[in-house]
Amino acid sequence: MTSHIEPFIELENLEKVFTVRRKAAGLFRREKSEVRAVDGISFAVERGEMVGYIGPNGAGKSTTIKMLTGILTPSGGRLRVAGIDPARERTRLAQRIGVVFGQRTTLWWDLPLKDSYRLMHRMYRIPDARFRENLDRCVELLELGELLDVPVRQLSLGQRMRGDIAAALLHDPEVLYLDEPTIGLDVVSKARVREFLSHLNTTQGTTVLLTTHDLTDIEQLCSRVMVIDHGRLMYDGKLSGLHAVGESERLLVVDLERELPPIDVPGARFVRSEGPRQWLAFPATASAAPLVAEVAAAYPLIDLSVREPDIETVIAKMYGGTRDERRESLM
Amino acid sequence: MVAGMWIRSTMTYRASFLITLFTNFCVTFFDFVAILLMFGQVKGLGGFAFAEVALLYGTAGTAFGIADLTMGSLQRMGARVRDGSLDTFLLRPAPLLAQIAGDKFALKRFGRVAQGLVVLIWSLCLLDVAWTPLKVLLLPVAVVSGAVIFGAVMVVGASVLFWIQDAAEVTNSFTYGGNTLLQYPPTIFAQDLVRGVVYVVPLAFVNWLPALYVLDRPAPAGVPEWAAFASPLVAAVLCGVAGLAWRAGVRAYRSTGS
């Protein structure tokens, strides 16, 4: 194997097309249509990288992950993980990867956490010493000690998530895929999960690929981010680079004395209003001072503030660029 | 191993398990009691004596029982395909088929095997057959091949579930239905039906052809006599078909959204 030369994960024009049948007029007539869930994605991930994979619902994130793990067979393109074609050699690959689905547990619902781990131990044929060591480390770092004897169905979402992450790591996977690992978790649980993942990446050198809707996950964990929409890769690079690509705008929030028609000043764009409060957008590269002066001169001002573009807005704009509806409600 | 886990969780309710095992045995046994009662009224069935029908019943029942014990869980796979929980199975380093077969493994299905064996042994005691070494060898080979044939049909049926999740009943008509069919002599059925289970879905190789040879009766539907020994071959071919169908099914798996 030449995996030290090749990237660890490699996608080339990967495609997944679903045929969707929809009921048409008439009892048995059906319309067929194609959905290109993943529409020609190419990227490469090196060993030890920590990559965030983001996009709106239905963008193709989960479908990509499912192809990377061998659950789904690609419709086209080339895919290699650790030199293995996932769909062809699924069981061989399974020994080398760990997967956590935020929405679905891989643990045995009715058994205590401990028994699930014991089953993993045997199923993955993990050497006893490795198993003990890994389990002890996970139990300590994820604070699972008191939960080991509790049946999985009685665990809270945050506890179950930690249990799932531990289960995915017992066999020393070289790469860990996480599909929305922080979905539905409270702030404390999220922080604990992030801390653990960061620790894992630095101490074990495990490659991590995670999808999320929570950009804080990306900001705190990932040096690299990939944005996908409509099955296509929109951006691949550093998080900070997104601002330039996304044509960021800053927001000027203006509080007027009374409700007035939309403010119209050069260099700014009216976004929306709510009673006497109005939102104006202007390019992040421009200065706010002349704009403020102009508004103050022409309108009865009470207060105003400037909002820096947050990454969420930038990404929302990127999504907006590919679809008709604008997503300004996110602001 | 997954099966072991299910056995363990069943065994936590030991009394309940024994009761279900017993009822399972009884329910299938009543099937046979029905035949027994029928023979209280008539002398023969399609020219077959009671002990001969019992032989057909015993061989089909045992073969089907073994197949159901190992592969019976496959028919419940449709739900897993629909709700996407099959994803979890696909992530584990073990063949999917083995995992599904062990999923919700029900030890109670032993009841069916036991009942088939009881009838089989009983019929062998009653029967007045001119045993030759070939016949003695043929019987166990036929039962094992029969189990494999039923199992392969179950796998083919399960493969269809990847495309049509509600197709389990279609498979059941071939497996459970086929089992019931094979428990009676072929002479009582329409010839087209008999031809169908010889040439289309080759269930006749489970017990009809071998058992008729043992009983020194002519094979149905104009099948040559050597076909009685073809069961292992048919089983092997069906396994190949089942393997291909299963692979195609797994590749077509679509999972669910999110």
Side-chain angles (χ1 to χ4, degrees), chain B:
Chain B
M1 186 186 80
V2 181
M5 189 200 69
W6 282 107
I7 292 172
R8 248 206 344 254
S9 47
T10 313
M11 279 310 185
T12 36
Y13 308 98
R14 204 172 299 264
S16 153
F17 168 72
L18 289 175
I19 292 166
T20 35
L21 188 64
F22 180 70
T23 42
N24 230 39
F25 182 89
C26 286
V27 166
T28 40
F29 195 75
F30 282 137
D31 265 5
F32 187 68
V33 170
I35 299 180
L36 222 113
L37 288 175
M38 192 161 59
F39 271 92
Q41 301 301 315
V42 294
K43 276 278 158 282
L45 190 60
F48 280 64
F50 173 67
E52 293 175 312
V53 176
L55 178 70
L56 289 177
Y57 186 98
T59 44
T62 310
F64 181 77
I66 296 170
D68 187 51
L69 178 70
T70 49
M71 294 289 167
S73 305
L74 286 174
Q75 56 168 314
R76 275 188 301 278
M77 194 186 75
R80 292 215 179 274
V81 173
R82 194 180 312 114
D83 70 14
S85 53
L86 206 64
D87 286 9
T88 314
F89 292 80
L90 286 164
L91 292 176
R92 296 183 187 139
L96 182 64
L97 190 60
Q99 290 187 63
I100 299 287
D103 185 30
K104 305 207 171 139
F105 183 82
L107 208 55
K108 66 179 182 198
R109 299 200 209 108
F110 268 120
R112 201 186 277 276
V113 182
Q115 185 258 351
L117 273 175
V118 166
V119 175
L120 177 59
I121 291 163
W122 188 35
S123 76
L124 290 177
C125 298
L126 286 177
L127 273 176
D128 184 22
V129 171
W131 289 103
T132 62
L134 207 55
K135 285 181 180 179
V136 174
L137 186 70
L138 181 59
L139 213 53
V141 169
V143 169
V144 173
S145 311
V148 175
I149 290 173
F150 269 129
V153 172
M154 287 174 183
V155 172
V156 172
S159 309
V160 175
L161 296 178
F162 284 107
W163 289 279
I164 313 164
Q165 282 101 58
D166 304 314
E169 286 306 320
V170 179
T171 319
N172 286 352
S173 69
F174 284 113
T175 51
Y176 286 85
N179 177 34
T180 313
L181 181 82
L182 295 177
Q183 288 168 353
Y184 296 93
T187 43
I188 68 166
F189 296 106
Q191 284 307 295
D192 283 338
L193 184 65
V194 175
R195 264 182 226 115
V197 295
V198 173
Y199 299 111
V200 185
V201 183
L203 292 176
F205 291 90
V206 171
N207 72 333
W208 274 357
L209 300 178
L212 290 177
Y213 177 84
V214 170
L215 298 171
D216 289 316
R217 283 174 181 275
V223 177
E225 193 178 288
W226 57 262
F229 300 93
S231 296
L233 192 70
V234 171
V237 171
L238 270 184
C239 281
V241 172
L244 290 176
W246 182 255
R247 278 177 68 104
V250 173
R251 287 182 76 86
Y253 176 58
R254 306 170 50 125
S255 188
T256 47
S258 91

Side-chain angles (χ1 to χ4, degrees), chain A residues 19 62 66 72 90 104 123, chain B residues 83-84 253-256 258:
Chain A
T19 317
S62 294
K66 281 173 185 171
L72 293 177
R90 196 188 61 242
R104 173 168 291 143
M123 195 178 291
Chain B
D83 70 14
Y253 176 58
R254 306 170 50 125
S255 188
T256 47
S258 91

Side-chain angles (χ1 to χ4, degrees), chain A residues 236-248:
Chain A
D236 183 357
K238 281 197 177 344
L239 189 63
S240 53
L242 266 175
H243 287 290
V245 179
E247 296 170 359
S248 304

Side-chain angles (χ1 to χ4, degrees), chain A residues 302-319:
Chain A
I302 293 179
D303 193 11
L304 53 74
S305 61
V306 176
R307 264 188 221 161
E308 293 302 317
D310 58 353
I311 202 71
E312 206 150 334
T313 320
V314 174
I315 288 164
K317 276 196 74 108
M318 285 187 73
Y319 299 165

